[in-house]
Amino acid sequence: MTLIGQKNEVNTVRVRRLGSVCYKETLEKMQAFTDGRDESTVDEIWLLEHTPVFTQGQAGKAEHLINTGDIPVVQADRGGQVTYHGPGQLVIYILVDLRRMGLGVRGLVTIIESSLISFLASLGVVAKAKKSAPGVYVNETKVAQLGLRIRRGCSFHGLSLNVAMDLEPFSRINPCGHEGLEVTSIEKLLGVSVNIQAVTKGMSAELIARLGYNTAIKE
């Protein structure tokens, strides 16, 4: 499936599997990559998990941090409020040149949400997006989070998909700034053990196709 490939002058993406990494260090690397790129830089997609951390977006309010306990809170430069990252959650960071693609922020959000919905449908999970609250939901329960930053026409940050993780830390915050918002995972929805590596492979393939890349350099 190619939605915007005809507008992508550099139709190649570099895909990096980073494993389990610290959030703050990864944030600094995303910022440095975005600040240092030019019009010929190949876009990148980073696939990873984070060690336990709460991240607070630019609009984040302290009132949404209820009882963070021993889990650190890191200020991020993405949009949105507070969320949790931890083992068993797939995080995909999308570092793309939107100007080169001829794509706006809303268009990128739609592609991310559509990719999540399509991938979940392949597992038999019916999900939906909400205009008023970015992310992907099953009924009214959130299974995937979304937060972006655009700098010099290029995106960074991206999405997180709850695959097979401990959901308890979400009870220590108001997820995404919504009191009482319930959070779920693919494993909880399906009621069976889920392999995060298989989810990573399927979800990243869906996203790469919808972004219109013809070639993926995997590292």
PDB file of all heavy atoms in Angstrom, residues 25-60:
ATOM      1  N   GLU A  25      18.233   9.269  27.158  1.00  0.00           N
ATOM      2  CA  GLU A  25      19.310   9.178  26.174  1.00  0.00           C
ATOM      3  C   GLU A  25      18.759   9.091  24.758  1.00  0.00           C
ATOM      4  O   GLU A  25      19.303   9.683  23.818  1.00  0.00           O
ATOM      5  CB  GLU A  25      20.187   7.962  26.479  1.00  0.00           C
ATOM      6  CG  GLU A  25      20.989   8.099  27.769  1.00  0.00           C
ATOM      7  CD  GLU A  25      21.786   6.855  28.090  1.00  0.00           C
ATOM      8  OE1 GLU A  25      21.764   5.898  27.277  1.00  0.00           O
ATOM      9  OE2 GLU A  25      22.426   6.820  29.160  1.00  0.00           O
ATOM     10  N   THR A  26      17.654   8.356  24.591  1.00  0.00           N
ATOM     11  CA  THR A  26      17.051   8.210  23.275  1.00  0.00           C
ATOM     12  C   THR A  26      16.460   9.533  22.808  1.00  0.00           C
ATOM     13  O   THR A  26      16.559   9.892  21.625  1.00  0.00           O
ATOM     14  CB  THR A  26      15.965   7.114  23.300  1.00  0.00           C
ATOM     15  OG1 THR A  26      16.509   5.927  23.881  1.00  0.00           O
ATOM     16  CG2 THR A  26      15.476   6.801  21.888  1.00  0.00           C
ATOM     17  N   LEU A  27      15.839  10.273  23.715  1.00  0.00           N
ATOM     18  CA  LEU A  27      15.309  11.596  23.394  1.00  0.00           C
ATOM     19  C   LEU A  27      16.421  12.508  22.874  1.00  0.00           C
ATOM     20  O   LEU A  27      16.250  13.197  21.857  1.00  0.00           O
ATOM     21  CB  LEU A  27      14.654  12.212  24.627  1.00  0.00           C
ATOM     22  CG  LEU A  27      14.212  13.669  24.528  1.00  0.00           C
ATOM     23  CD1 LEU A  27      13.180  13.854  23.423  1.00  0.00           C
ATOM     24  CD2 LEU A  27      13.659  14.153  25.867  1.00  0.00           C
ATOM     25  N   GLU A  28      17.544  12.505  23.550  1.00  0.00           N
ATOM     26  CA  GLU A  28      18.668  13.354  23.131  1.00  0.00           C
ATOM     27  C   GLU A  28      19.170  12.952  21.741  1.00  0.00           C
ATOM     28  O   GLU A  28      19.529  13.807  20.923  1.00  0.00           O
ATOM     29  CB  GLU A  28      19.783  13.266  24.167  1.00  0.00           C
ATOM     30  CG  GLU A  28      19.420  13.921  25.497  1.00  0.00           C
ATOM     31  CD  GLU A  28      20.415  13.640  26.596  1.00  0.00           C
ATOM     32  OE1 GLU A  28      21.336  12.800  26.366  1.00  0.00           O
ATOM     33  OE2 GLU A  28      20.284  14.218  27.686  1.00  0.00           O
ATOM     34  N   LYS A  29      19.171  11.657  21.450  1.00  0.00           N
ATOM     35  CA  LYS A  29      19.615  11.182  20.135  1.00  0.00           C
ATOM     36  C   LYS A  29      18.623  11.589  19.044  1.00  0.00           C
ATOM     37  O   LYS A  29      19.029  11.943  17.931  1.00  0.00           O
ATOM     38  CB  LYS A  29      19.804   9.671  20.161  1.00  0.00           C
ATOM     39  CG  LYS A  29      21.012   9.224  20.977  1.00  0.00           C
ATOM     40  CD  LYS A  29      21.120   7.708  21.031  1.00  0.00           C
ATOM     41  CE  LYS A  29      22.324   7.289  21.863  1.00  0.00           C
ATOM     42  NZ  LYS A  29      22.436   5.807  21.976  1.00  0.00           N
ATOM     43  N   MET A  30      17.320  11.541  19.354  1.00  0.00           N
ATOM     44  CA  MET A  30      16.311  11.986  18.385  1.00  0.00           C
ATOM     45  C   MET A  30      16.472  13.464  18.077  1.00  0.00           C
ATOM     46  O   MET A  30      16.399  13.892  16.920  1.00  0.00           O
ATOM     47  CB  MET A  30      14.894  11.744  18.924  1.00  0.00           C
ATOM     48  CG  MET A  30      14.389  10.340  18.802  1.00  0.00           C
ATOM     49  SD  MET A  30      12.598  10.261  19.058  1.00  0.00           S
ATOM     50  CE  MET A  30      12.464  10.675  20.798  1.00  0.00           C
ATOM     51  N   GLN A  31      16.668  14.255  19.114  1.00  0.00           N
ATOM     52  CA  GLN A  31      16.842  15.695  18.926  1.00  0.00           C
ATOM     53  C   GLN A  31      18.078  15.988  18.087  1.00  0.00           C
ATOM     54  O   GLN A  31      18.033  16.829  17.178  1.00  0.00           O
ATOM     55  CB  GLN A  31      16.943  16.374  20.296  1.00  0.00           C
ATOM     56  CG  GLN A  31      15.649  16.325  21.096  1.00  0.00           C
ATOM     57  CD  GLN A  31      15.850  16.744  22.542  1.00  0.00           C
ATOM     58  OE1 GLN A  31      16.941  16.593  23.097  1.00  0.00           O
ATOM     59  NE2 GLN A  31      14.804  17.278  23.160  1.00  0.00           N
ATOM     60  N   ALA A  32      19.179  15.294  18.384  1.00  0.00           N
ATOM     61  CA  ALA A  32      20.419  15.520  17.651  1.00  0.00           C
ATOM     62  C   ALA A  32      20.276  15.106  16.192  1.00  0.00           C
ATOM     63  O   ALA A  32      20.763  15.801  15.280  1.00  0.00           O
ATOM     64  CB  ALA A  32      21.557  14.741  18.312  1.00  0.00           C
ATOM     65  N   PHE A  33      19.602  13.980  15.945  1.00  0.00           N
ATOM     66  CA  PHE A  33      19.391  13.527  14.568  1.00  0.00           C
ATOM     67  C   PHE A  33      18.579  14.551  13.792  1.00  0.00           C
ATOM     68  O   PHE A  33      18.920  14.912  12.657  1.00  0.00           O
ATOM     69  CB  PHE A  33      18.674  12.177  14.561  1.00  0.00           C
ATOM     70  CG  PHE A  33      18.315  11.686  13.186  1.00  0.00           C
ATOM     71  CD1 PHE A  33      19.240  10.997  12.419  1.00  0.00           C
ATOM     72  CD2 PHE A  33      17.057  11.920  12.653  1.00  0.00           C
ATOM     73  CE1 PHE A  33      18.918  10.556  11.133  1.00  0.00           C
ATOM     74  CE2 PHE A  33      16.719  11.490  11.376  1.00  0.00           C
ATOM     75  CZ  PHE A  33      17.656  10.802  10.621  1.00  0.00           C
ATOM     76  N   THR A  34      17.515  15.043  14.398  1.00  0.00           N
ATOM     77  CA  THR A  34      16.637  15.997  13.723  1.00  0.00           C
ATOM     78  C   THR A  34      17.343  17.322  13.466  1.00  0.00           C
ATOM     79  O   THR A  34      17.212  17.917  12.389  1.00  0.00           O
ATOM     80  CB  THR A  34      15.359  16.219  14.563  1.00  0.00           C
ATOM     81  OG1 THR A  34      14.708  14.953  14.763  1.00  0.00           O
ATOM     82  CG2 THR A  34      14.396  17.161  13.861  1.00  0.00           C
ATOM     83  N   ASP A  35      18.110  17.789  14.438  1.00  0.00           N
ATOM     84  CA  ASP A  35      18.825  19.058  14.272  1.00  0.00           C
ATOM     85  C   ASP A  35      19.947  18.951  13.238  1.00  0.00           C
ATOM     86  O   ASP A  35      20.295  19.946  12.591  1.00  0.00           O
ATOM     87  CB  ASP A  35      19.409  19.509  15.607  1.00  0.00           C
ATOM     88  CG  ASP A  35      18.333  19.968  16.582  1.00  0.00           C
ATOM     89  OD1 ASP A  35      17.222  20.284  16.124  1.00  0.00           O
ATOM     90  OD2 ASP A  35      18.612  19.994  17.799  1.00  0.00           O
ATOM     91  N   GLY A  36      20.510  17.770  13.079  1.00  0.00           N
ATOM     92  CA  GLY A  36      21.649  17.613  12.191  1.00  0.00           C
ATOM     93  C   GLY A  36      21.313  17.176  10.781  1.00  0.00           C
ATOM     94  O   GLY A  36      22.194  17.150   9.915  1.00  0.00           O
ATOM     95  N   ARG A  37      20.047  16.848  10.514  1.00  0.00           N
ATOM     96  CA  ARG A  37      19.713  16.339   9.192  1.00  0.00           C
ATOM     97  C   ARG A  37      19.558  17.476   8.179  1.00  0.00           C
ATOM     98  O   ARG A  37      19.344  18.632   8.549  1.00  0.00           O
ATOM     99  CB  ARG A  37      18.437  15.484   9.258  1.00  0.00           C
ATOM    100  CG  ARG A  37      17.154  16.232   9.582  1.00  0.00           C
ATOM    101  CD  ARG A  37      15.961  15.272   9.648  1.00  0.00           C
ATOM    102  NE  ARG A  37      15.802  14.587   8.359  1.00  0.00           N
ATOM    103  CZ  ARG A  37      15.011  13.524   8.177  1.00  0.00           C
ATOM    104  NH1 ARG A  37      14.306  13.029   9.190  1.00  0.00           N
ATOM    105  NH2 ARG A  37      14.917  12.968   6.994  1.00  0.00           N
ATOM    106  N   ASP A  38      19.642  17.123   6.876  1.00  0.00           N
ATOM    107  CA  ASP A  38      19.386  18.088   5.817  1.00  0.00           C
ATOM    108  C   ASP A  38      18.448  17.448   4.794  1.00  0.00           C
ATOM    109  O   ASP A  38      17.907  16.368   5.031  1.00  0.00           O
ATOM    110  CB  ASP A  38      20.690  18.581   5.181  1.00  0.00           C
ATOM    111  CG  ASP A  38      21.514  17.453   4.556  1.00  0.00           C
ATOM    112  OD1 ASP A  38      20.928  16.439   4.103  1.00  0.00           O
ATOM    113  OD2 ASP A  38      22.743  17.584   4.508  1.00  0.00           O
ATOM    114  N   GLU A  39      18.262  18.122   3.653  1.00  0.00           N
ATOM    115  CA  GLU A  39      17.262  17.661   2.691  1.00  0.00           C
ATOM    116  C   GLU A  39      17.602  16.316   2.048  1.00  0.00           C
ATOM    117  O   GLU A  39      16.737  15.661   1.457  1.00  0.00           O
ATOM    118  CB  GLU A  39      17.063  18.715   1.590  1.00  0.00           C
ATOM    119  CG  GLU A  39      18.295  19.008   0.748  1.00  0.00           C
ATOM    120  CD  GLU A  39      19.220  20.027   1.383  1.00  0.00           C
ATOM    121  OE1 GLU A  39      18.928  20.489   2.506  1.00  0.00           O
ATOM    122  OE2 GLU A  39      20.242  20.362   0.745  1.00  0.00           O
ATOM    123  N   SER A  40      18.856  15.860   2.187  1.00  0.00           N
ATOM    124  CA  SER A  40      19.254  14.574   1.604  1.00  0.00           C
ATOM    125  C   SER A  40      19.319  13.441   2.622  1.00  0.00           C
ATOM    126  O   SER A  40      19.587  12.298   2.265  1.00  0.00           O
ATOM    127  CB  SER A  40      20.611  14.709   0.913  1.00  0.00           C
ATOM    128  OG  SER A  40      21.627  15.002   1.864  1.00  0.00           O
ATOM    129  N   THR A  41      19.056  13.753   3.890  1.00  0.00           N
ATOM    130  CA  THR A  41      19.149  12.736   4.938  1.00  0.00           C
ATOM    131  C   THR A  41      18.051  11.695   4.789  1.00  0.00           C
ATOM    132  O   THR A  41      16.875  12.034   4.632  1.00  0.00           O
ATOM    133  CB  THR A  41      19.046  13.387   6.331  1.00  0.00           C
ATOM    134  OG1 THR A  41      20.093  14.357   6.478  1.00  0.00           O
ATOM    135  CG2 THR A  41      19.167  12.342   7.433  1.00  0.00           C
ATOM    136  N   VAL A  42      18.427  10.432   4.852  1.00  0.00           N
ATOM    137  CA  VAL A  42      17.450   9.338   4.779  1.00  0.00           C
ATOM    138  C   VAL A  42      16.612   9.325   6.050  1.00  0.00           C
ATOM    139  O   VAL A  42      17.135   9.440   7.162  1.00  0.00           O
ATOM    140  CB  VAL A  42      18.170   7.990   4.581  1.00  0.00           C
ATOM    141  CG1 VAL A  42      17.193   6.827   4.647  1.00  0.00           C
ATOM    142  CG2 VAL A  42      18.919   7.976   3.252  1.00  0.00           C
ATOM    143  N   ASP A  43      15.290   9.185   5.899  1.00  0.00           N
ATOM    144  CA  ASP A  43      14.397   9.084   7.052  1.00  0.00           C
ATOM    145  C   ASP A  43      14.717   7.834   7.866  1.00  0.00           C
ATOM    146  O   ASP A  43      15.251   6.851   7.343  1.00  0.00           O
ATOM    147  CB  ASP A  43      12.941   9.023   6.589  1.00  0.00           C
ATOM    148  CG  ASP A  43      12.467  10.327   5.959  1.00  0.00           C
ATOM    149  OD1 ASP A  43      13.071  11.377   6.222  1.00  0.00           O
ATOM    150  OD2 ASP A  43      11.471  10.277   5.197  1.00  0.00           O
ATOM    151  N   GLU A  44      14.359   7.867   9.133  1.00  0.00           N
ATOM    152  CA  GLU A  44      14.601   6.715   9.993  1.00  0.00           C
ATOM    153  C   GLU A  44      13.373   6.379  10.824  1.00  0.00           C
ATOM    154  O   GLU A  44      12.588   7.260  11.185  1.00  0.00           O
ATOM    155  CB  GLU A  44      15.798   6.970  10.918  1.00  0.00           C
ATOM    156  CG  GLU A  44      17.106   7.154  10.159  1.00  0.00           C
ATOM    157  CD  GLU A  44      18.337   7.005  11.035  1.00  0.00           C
ATOM    158  OE1 GLU A  44      18.184   6.723  12.251  1.00  0.00           O
ATOM    159  OE2 GLU A  44      19.453   7.146  10.495  1.00  0.00           O
ATOM    160  N   ILE A  45      13.227   5.094  11.128  1.00  0.00           N
ATOM    161  CA  ILE A  45      12.221   4.597  12.059  1.00  0.00           C
ATOM    162  C   ILE A  45      12.946   3.766  13.103  1.00  0.00           C
ATOM    163  O   ILE A  45      13.703   2.854  12.762  1.00  0.00           O
ATOM    164  CB  ILE A  45      11.144   3.768  11.331  1.00  0.00           C
ATOM    165  CG1 ILE A  45      10.280   4.690  10.469  1.00  0.00           C
ATOM    166  CG2 ILE A  45      10.290   3.000  12.333  1.00  0.00           C
ATOM    167  CD1 ILE A  45       9.231   3.965   9.654  1.00  0.00           C
ATOM    168  N   TRP A  46      12.740   4.095  14.373  1.00  0.00           N
ATOM    169  CA  TRP A  46      13.404   3.398  15.473  1.00  0.00           C
ATOM    170  C   TRP A  46      12.397   2.520  16.191  1.00  0.00           C
ATOM    171  O   TRP A  46      11.314   2.982  16.591  1.00  0.00           O
ATOM    172  CB  TRP A  46      14.003   4.391  16.451  1.00  0.00           C
ATOM    173  CG  TRP A  46      15.079   5.268  15.871  1.00  0.00           C
ATOM    174  CD1 TRP A  46      15.585   5.237  14.589  1.00  0.00           C
ATOM    175  CD2 TRP A  46      15.789   6.322  16.537  1.00  0.00           C
ATOM    176  NE1 TRP A  46      16.560   6.196  14.426  1.00  0.00           N
ATOM    177  CE2 TRP A  46      16.703   6.877  15.603  1.00  0.00           C
ATOM    178  CE3 TRP A  46      15.741   6.846  17.823  1.00  0.00           C
ATOM    179  CZ2 TRP A  46      17.560   7.932  15.924  1.00  0.00           C
ATOM    180  CZ3 TRP A  46      16.588   7.904  18.152  1.00  0.00           C
ATOM    181  CH2 TRP A  46      17.483   8.430  17.212  1.00  0.00           C
ATOM    182  N   LEU A  47      12.757   1.249  16.373  1.00  0.00           N
ATOM    183  CA  LEU A  47      11.908   0.265  17.045  1.00  0.00           C
ATOM    184  C   LEU A  47      12.566  -0.111  18.369  1.00  0.00           C
ATOM    185  O   LEU A  47      13.730  -0.526  18.388  1.00  0.00           O
ATOM    186  CB  LEU A  47      11.744  -0.979  16.175  1.00  0.00           C
ATOM    187  CG  LEU A  47      11.328  -0.746  14.714  1.00  0.00           C
ATOM    188  CD1 LEU A  47      11.377  -2.056  13.944  1.00  0.00           C
ATOM    189  CD2 LEU A  47       9.938  -0.137  14.653  1.00  0.00           C
ATOM    190  N   LEU A  48      11.843   0.006  19.468  1.00  0.00           N
ATOM    191  CA  LEU A  48      12.489  -0.179  20.771  1.00  0.00           C
ATOM    192  C   LEU A  48      11.477  -0.415  21.881  1.00  0.00           C
ATOM    193  O   LEU A  48      10.265  -0.317  21.676  1.00  0.00           O
ATOM    194  CB  LEU A  48      13.323   1.055  21.096  1.00  0.00           C
ATOM    195  CG  LEU A  48      12.545   2.390  21.087  1.00  0.00           C
ATOM    196  CD1 LEU A  48      12.505   3.000  22.469  1.00  0.00           C
ATOM    197  CD2 LEU A  48      13.174   3.364  20.091  1.00  0.00           C
ATOM    198  N   GLU A  49      12.010  -0.725  23.045  1.00  0.00           N
ATOM    199  CA  GLU A  49      11.274  -0.696  24.302  1.00  0.00           C
ATOM    200  C   GLU A  49      12.043   0.223  25.244  1.00  0.00           C
ATOM    201  O   GLU A  49      13.252   0.395  25.097  1.00  0.00           O
ATOM    202  CB  GLU A  49      11.191  -2.093  24.924  1.00  0.00           C
ATOM    203  CG  GLU A  49      10.403  -3.108  24.108  1.00  0.00           C
ATOM    204  CD  GLU A  49      10.448  -4.497  24.721  1.00  0.00           C
ATOM    205  OE1 GLU A  49       9.946  -4.672  25.854  1.00  0.00           O
ATOM    206  OE2 GLU A  49      11.018  -5.399  24.074  1.00  0.00           O
ATOM    207  N   HIS A  50      11.327   0.809  26.204  1.00  0.00           N
ATOM    208  CA  HIS A  50      11.998   1.656  27.191  1.00  0.00           C
ATOM    209  C   HIS A  50      12.026   0.981  28.550  1.00  0.00           C
ATOM    210  O   HIS A  50      11.095   0.227  28.904  1.00  0.00           O
ATOM    211  CB  HIS A  50      11.283   2.995  27.331  1.00  0.00           C
ATOM    212  CG  HIS A  50      11.649   3.989  26.263  1.00  0.00           C
ATOM    213  ND1 HIS A  50      12.950   4.321  25.959  1.00  0.00           N
ATOM    214  CD2 HIS A  50      10.873   4.731  25.425  1.00  0.00           C
ATOM    215  CE1 HIS A  50      12.969   5.205  24.990  1.00  0.00           C
ATOM    216  NE2 HIS A  50      11.723   5.469  24.640  1.00  0.00           N
ATOM    217  N   THR A  51      13.077   1.257  29.302  1.00  0.00           N
ATOM    218  CA  THR A  51      13.056   0.919  30.715  1.00  0.00           C
ATOM    219  C   THR A  51      11.988   1.794  31.374  1.00  0.00           C
ATOM    220  O   THR A  51      11.629   2.853  30.837  1.00  0.00           O
ATOM    221  CB  THR A  51      14.438   1.166  31.336  1.00  0.00           C
ATOM    222  OG1 THR A  51      14.878   2.497  31.000  1.00  0.00           O
ATOM    223  CG2 THR A  51      15.455   0.174  30.787  1.00  0.00           C
ATOM    224  N   PRO A  52      11.422   1.392  32.523  1.00  0.00           N
ATOM    225  CA  PRO A  52      10.272   2.097  33.089  1.00  0.00           C
ATOM    226  C   PRO A  52      10.483   3.595  33.266  1.00  0.00           C
ATOM    227  O   PRO A  52      11.480   4.031  33.851  1.00  0.00           O
ATOM    228  CB  PRO A  52      10.074   1.402  34.438  1.00  0.00           C
ATOM    229  CG  PRO A  52      10.572   0.007  34.201  1.00  0.00           C
ATOM    230  CD  PRO A  52      11.772   0.194  33.308  1.00  0.00           C
ATOM    231  N   VAL A  53       9.523   4.384  32.752  1.00  0.00           N
ATOM    232  CA  VAL A  53       9.626   5.835  32.828  1.00  0.00           C
ATOM    233  C   VAL A  53       8.263   6.459  32.561  1.00  0.00           C
ATOM    234  O   VAL A  53       7.483   5.954  31.763  1.00  0.00           O
ATOM    235  CB  VAL A  53      10.660   6.363  31.802  1.00  0.00           C
ATOM    236  CG1 VAL A  53      10.214   6.091  30.377  1.00  0.00           C
ATOM    237  CG2 VAL A  53      10.939   7.854  31.994  1.00  0.00           C
ATOM    238  N   PHE A  54       7.970   7.539  33.273  1.00  0.00           N
ATOM    239  CA  PHE A  54       6.842   8.401  32.922  1.00  0.00           C
ATOM    240  C   PHE A  54       7.405   9.570  32.127  1.00  0.00           C
ATOM    241  O   PHE A  54       8.417  10.165  32.522  1.00  0.00           O
ATOM    242  CB  PHE A  54       6.137   8.938  34.172  1.00  0.00           C
ATOM    243  CG  PHE A  54       5.441   7.887  34.984  1.00  0.00           C
ATOM    244  CD1 PHE A  54       5.922   7.534  36.243  1.00  0.00           C
ATOM    245  CD2 PHE A  54       4.319   7.243  34.500  1.00  0.00           C
ATOM    246  CE1 PHE A  54       5.286   6.566  37.000  1.00  0.00           C
ATOM    247  CE2 PHE A  54       3.667   6.266  35.249  1.00  0.00           C
ATOM    248  CZ  PHE A  54       4.155   5.919  36.502  1.00  0.00           C
ATOM    249  N   THR A  55       6.748   9.920  31.023  1.00  0.00           N
ATOM    250  CA  THR A  55       7.191  11.075  30.246  1.00  0.00           C
ATOM    251  C   THR A  55       6.074  12.114  30.225  1.00  0.00           C
ATOM    252  O   THR A  55       4.913  11.792  30.008  1.00  0.00           O
ATOM    253  CB  THR A  55       7.580  10.677  28.816  1.00  0.00           C
ATOM    254  OG1 THR A  55       6.435  10.254  28.074  1.00  0.00           O
ATOM    255  CG2 THR A  55       8.614   9.566  28.844  1.00  0.00           C
ATOM    256  N   GLN A  56       6.483  13.349  30.440  1.00  0.00           N
ATOM    257  CA  GLN A  56       5.548  14.464  30.539  1.00  0.00           C
ATOM    258  C   GLN A  56       5.693  15.347  29.296  1.00  0.00           C
ATOM    259  O   GLN A  56       6.780  15.847  29.015  1.00  0.00           O
ATOM    260  CB  GLN A  56       5.869  15.249  31.812  1.00  0.00           C
ATOM    261  CG  GLN A  56       4.925  16.337  32.221  1.00  0.00           C
ATOM    262  CD  GLN A  56       3.591  15.889  32.737  1.00  0.00           C
ATOM    263  OE1 GLN A  56       2.798  15.385  31.965  1.00  0.00           O
ATOM    264  NE2 GLN A  56       3.323  16.102  34.015  1.00  0.00           N
ATOM    265  N   GLY A  57       4.613  15.493  28.518  1.00  0.00           N
ATOM    266  CA  GLY A  57       4.649  16.295  27.307  1.00  0.00           C
ATOM    267  C   GLY A  57       4.723  17.782  27.597  1.00  0.00           C
ATOM    268  O   GLY A  57       4.671  18.224  28.749  1.00  0.00           O
ATOM    269  N   GLN A  58       4.805  18.567  26.527  1.00  0.00           N
ATOM    270  CA  GLN A  58       4.960  20.017  26.679  1.00  0.00           C
ATOM    271  C   GLN A  58       3.806  20.662  27.431  1.00  0.00           C
ATOM    272  O   GLN A  58       3.993  21.653  28.127  1.00  0.00           O
ATOM    273  CB  GLN A  58       5.105  20.655  25.299  1.00  0.00           C
ATOM    274  CG  GLN A  58       6.426  20.366  24.613  1.00  0.00           C
ATOM    275  CD  GLN A  58       6.524  21.045  23.270  1.00  0.00           C
ATOM    276  OE1 GLN A  58       5.664  20.894  22.410  1.00  0.00           O
ATOM    277  NE2 GLN A  58       7.582  21.814  23.072  1.00  0.00           N
ATOM    278  N   ALA A  59       2.616  20.107  27.268  1.00  0.00           N
ATOM    279  CA  ALA A  59       1.441  20.665  27.940  1.00  0.00           C
ATOM    280  C   ALA A  59       1.168  19.980  29.278  1.00  0.00           C
ATOM    281  O   ALA A  59       0.143  20.206  29.907  1.00  0.00           O
ATOM    282  CB  ALA A  59       0.207  20.538  27.038  1.00  0.00           C
ATOM    283  N   GLY A  60       2.108  19.145  29.712  1.00  0.00           N
ATOM    284  CA  GLY A  60       1.895  18.330  30.903  1.00  0.00           C
ATOM    285  C   GLY A  60       1.664  19.145  32.172  1.00  0.00           C
ATOM    286  O   GLY A  60       2.297  20.172  32.399  1.00  0.00           O
TER     287      GLY A  60
END
